[in-house]
Amino acid sequence: MFDSREYPKSLEETTFELWLEEGRESKMRYEYMLVVWDDLEGDYHPEYVETRTLINKHPFWGNATGHSTTVAVYDLYSEARITVQ
């Protein structure tokens, strides 16, 4: 996943699937998973949020000022990629 010049490295599909499963199985009532790139770690990690409103509190690719950037958002249950404006 994320196999393009836009992103620093690709993400293994099996890792992505595991993250979706972990988010769905959490005792918290998460609805969305953010795929976040961390410049310091040089890798992706998931962040989970309960509501769509909380998604906008995270910096997005091209607009980040810190060391981590959200590159994509997915609905945990439909697994659909969410477009955020």
Side-chain angles (χ1 to χ4, degrees), residues 13-84:
E13 187 78 29
T14 55
T15 301
F16 177 78
E17 293 293 329
L18 178 65
W19 291 348
L20 287 172
E21 187 176 317
E22 288 173 353
R24 288 189 291 256
E25 291 177 356
S26 172
K27 291 182 182 186
M28 299 293 291
R29 299 188 75 100
Y30 295 125
E31 292 290 324
Y32 303 98
M33 178 182 76
L34 288 67
V35 177
V36 177
W37 172 258
D38 188 310
D39 281 330
L40 297 178
E41 297 290 326
D43 209 356
Y44 296 102
H45 68 269
E47 291 187 20
Y48 304 100
V49 296
E50 297 91 359
T51 65
R52 198 173 180 109
T53 306
L54 294 173
I55 294 170
N56 294 324
K57 294 186 178 191
H58 295 266
F60 282 85
W61 197 253
N63 298 326
T65 57
H67 64 83
S68 60
T69 307
T70 302
V71 296
V73 178
Y74 291 87
D75 182 288
L76 283 172
Y77 298 95
S78 71
E79 299 183 15
R81 189 166 178 167
I82 305 295
T83 302
V84 180

